[in-house]
Amino acid sequence: MATVLERVSKVVVDRLGVDESEVKPEASFRDDLGADSLDVVELVMELEDEFDLEISDEDAEKIGTVGDAVNYIEQKVG
Amino acid sequence: MGKLEGKTAIVTGASRGIGRAIAIRLAEEGARVAVNYAGSEDKANETVRIIEEAGGEAFAIRASVSDADDVKTLVDETASRFGSVDILVNNAGITKDNLLMRMKEDEWDDVIDTNLKGVFLCTKAVARPMMKQRSGTIVNLASVVGVAGNAGQANYVAAKAGVIGLTKTAAKELSARGIRVNAVAPGFITTDMTDKLPEEVKEGMLGQIPLGKLGSPENVADAVLFLASGDSEYITGQTLHVDGGMVM
């Protein structure tokens, strides 16, 4: 079973077309991974599907880095 | 083969008038249609029956477009029945006309809620499935009075002008995801809504229409079909006037 980080990484790589090595916990979607604001919205939607959960707009706004996403999902799923 | 074969559509406020004509027109071209209504269940069922008798597919669904929960149900239900939402036509609208000096706050709020906030809520709700599928078309019903202004309709005009601005913004935000957003601005169209206008107002309006006659709901539906279909694939953010030349 893949870890949350691995699954998040896969979604990020697929969606943003970045190299897997760039997807580190501290990487910011917008500043480091070249996502625009709409990309982030889409990414959150993909994560919702991948982990079968709903992320409210308020929570989504707080997700800025790969690590934020992983922590949030681990809290919700775990 | 219809222009919308295999596509699915939500038409808000489709129980009668222009919305009904749009639902029927889209269905004629092969779209499966969610016929939304707020109060007139019988009339919505009649729209569905007309579509089905012509060999089309449709179902009626109640939702107040100014209520976010209702709108979510509308979009979720349509997506689960049809498997996708390809076309949204934001048509639902009301009028509560009054002179600015006499207009009550609730008359203002009600019209803005349904005619402007409703478009925002429905657009936001369908943007999600459309972004995922990387395609979709949204057509908003504006009005020529939203461009030209109209005495006695401060609330309606403000909402319709707002719809035109919202159309442009949604077009800019969503175009990178293959979603096009346009508006149709009808002029003086024969419907229940315009039948209520006083006779002298109607005559006054006729004098302002270069083509010299009122429009029909079908005239508007044809324009909506154009903007909803692939025929307009390179058009987004535009407002198409269907007004006999009333406002240029």
Side-chain angles (χ1 to χ4, degrees), chain A residues 9-10 12 19-20 23 25 27 31-32 36 38 44-45 50-52 55-56 62 66 68 71-75 78:
Chain A
S9 295
K10 184 173 184 325
V12 172
D19 195 85
E20 208 179 326
V23 187
D31 298 333
D32 301 319
D36 65 21
L38 203 53
V44 168
M45 280 168 27
E50 171 69 22
F51 294 94
D52 193 27
I55 304 174
S56 69
K62 294 181 202 137
V66 175
D68 292 343
N71 289 339
Y72 179 84
I73 291 162
E74 279 176 342
Q75 259 179 14

Side-chain angles (χ1 to χ4, degrees), chain B residues 2-85:
Chain B
K3 290 179 191 295
L4 302 178
E5 217 64 55
K7 300 288 185 190
T8 66
I10 296 174
V11 182
T12 66
S15 57
R16 55 204 159 103
I18 291 174
R20 171 183 281 183
I22 292 167
I24 291 170
R25 191 76 189 90
L26 300 185
E28 278 172 358
E29 292 294 333
R32 287 174 292 160
V33 182
V35 174
N36 159 255
Y37 65 95
S40 327
E41 186 177 5
D42 292 347
K43 296 221 167 190
N45 286 330
E46 203 176 302
T47 304
V48 170
R49 190 178 52 73
I50 293 167
I51 289 171
E52 286 175 344
E53 278 176 8
E57 190 180 333
F59 72 98
I61 177 164
R62 201 209 73 80
S64 166
V65 294
S66 57
D67 181 308
D69 291 334
D70 274 17
V71 168
K72 185 173 187 314
T73 307
L74 169 65
V75 173
D76 288 352
E77 177 73 18
T78 305
S80 83
R81 279 203 187 213
F82 291 158
S84 68
V85 182

